[in-house]
Amino acid sequence: MLRLGVNIDHVATIRNARGTPWPDPLRAARIAEQAGADGITAHLREDRRHISDADIDALMANLTRPLNFEMAATMEMQAIALRHRPHAVCIVPEKREERTTEGGLDVAGNDNALAGYIAPLREAGCRVSLFIGHEPAQIRAAARIGAAVVELHTGAYCDLDTEGRHAERDVELDALRRGAELADSLGLEVHAGHGLTYDTVAPIAAIPQIRELNIGHFLISESVFLGLEGAIREMRARMDAARA
Ligand code: PXP
């Protein structure tokens, strides 16, 4: 079965635009659960530009589905994760000036430091996921340092599709397929996400080694027109059709 993790960060982005209590990310998460999300993803950024510490407290206290807690590999975030012990911790690279998470982690270049960083999270019972590109060296390094999961970055594939660069998109898609195969063969659970839309989800959902997709910005955008429940149900239907 292909799971859907709904990323609710941008519900908080809209809330923070006005400094009001609404829209409430926890309310969005509850609707997502009812609409068929298998998990909820939230990224507590160092600059707290969307999700806040109080949001994480509320999600941990109230969710019925597992929380995938996205964070940078900093000591502050490690302490927060160890306090909450969410089901999963997804480690992402983070730059203050970026609009979104632009690339994958350099696991191969930082394997000793990352191995030490994730050890207490693993001991606390969190499934550690590393957000990486499809390069074999990164995938092998993730397996070597004991990550349970790799999440493959689909952003470049989605951007090439949006820009109409279809030949390059297909090369990227092939690389994602090979990356998923390699990761699976090394015993890693394979997830994917970033930038996925109704138009781009099917080829990714069809990759048999992928167990979970994490999707946020497009779903929150589409909920303006369809409502959050409708947007999620439509995405689920497309994922399921592609997987079948
Ligand atoms: N997966 C990871 C690791 C991410 O950092 C993000 C963006 O926060 C997503 C998935 C979801 O990306 P999008 O919001 O573009 O669907």
Side-chain angles (χ1 to χ4, degrees):
M1 191 214 156
L2 179 61
R3 296 192 302 267
L4 171 61
V6 172
N7 181 316
I8 54 164
D9 292 350
H10 296 301
V11 177
T13 302
I14 298 172
R15 175 194 62 193
N16 295 0
R18 280 296 183 89
T20 51
W22 58 81
D24 175 13
L26 175 60
R27 184 173 170 200
R30 287 204 172 112
I31 291 169
E33 288 176 330
Q34 282 158 20
D38 301 291
I40 301 297
T41 295
H43 183 179
L44 185 65
R45 277 186 169 265
E46 189 193 7
D47 62 10
R48 309 301 200 269
R49 68 173 72 158
H50 38 57
I51 292 293
S52 68
D53 298 71
D55 291 328
I56 298 294
D57 294 346
L59 292 167
M60 281 301 300
N62 292 289
L63 287 183
T64 59
R65 300 281 158 87
L67 178 68
N68 178 31
F69 179 57
E70 251 189 64
M71 60 181 221
T74 65
M75 296 319 289
E76 181 200 17
M77 289 301 152
Q78 189 192 59
I80 294 170
L82 290 173
R83 195 166 73 241
H84 283 296
R85 299 177 180 230
H87 166 77
V89 170
C90 180
I91 310 216
V92 302
E94 203 175 288
K95 293 193 225 102
R96 236 167 217 272
E97 62 279 13
E98 70 192 353
R99 266 195 290 185
T100 181
T101 312
E102 281 161 3
L105 275 177
D106 181 13
V107 187
N110 298 291
D111 50 352
N112 282 337
L114 270 173
Y117 184 84
I118 68 173
L121 298 166
R122 295 172 58 195
E123 281 156 24
C126 301
R127 279 179 80 70
V128 174
S129 169
L130 302 178
F131 190 45
I132 59 172
H134 48 59
E135 300 80 14
Q138 301 297 348
I139 295 167
R140 290 186 198 285
R144 200 166 56 238
I145 70 168
V149 180
V150 284
E151 180 162 333
L152 298 179
H153 198 312
T154 53
Y157 152 75
C158 291
D159 287 346
L160 290 165
D161 183 80
T162 305
E163 291 160 17
R165 293 158 64 186
H166 292 161
E168 292 158 272
R169 173 200 64 192
D170 293 346
V171 170
E172 185 65 20
L173 188 55
D174 270 341
L176 286 164
R177 288 190 185 111
R178 284 196 305 276
E181 267 172 38
L182 173 63
D184 182 68
S185 76
L186 296 172
L188 291 158
E189 184 172 309
V190 189
H191 299 178
H194 208 281
L196 291 168
T197 65
Y198 293 156
D199 289 338
T200 50
V201 76
I204 299 294
I207 299 173
Q209 293 85 5
I210 293 181
R211 308 284 175 81
E212 177 175 310
L213 300 182
N214 283 300
I215 309 181
H217 183 259
F218 180 82
L219 286 175
I220 304 307
S221 307
E222 198 59 15
S223 72
V224 171
F225 308 108
L226 294 183
L228 187 55
E229 180 170 351
I232 292 171
R233 288 197 190 283
E234 176 67 24
M235 187 62 83
R236 254 249 81 102
R238 287 176 189 239
M239 286 167 54
D240 293 345
R243 181 51 66 104

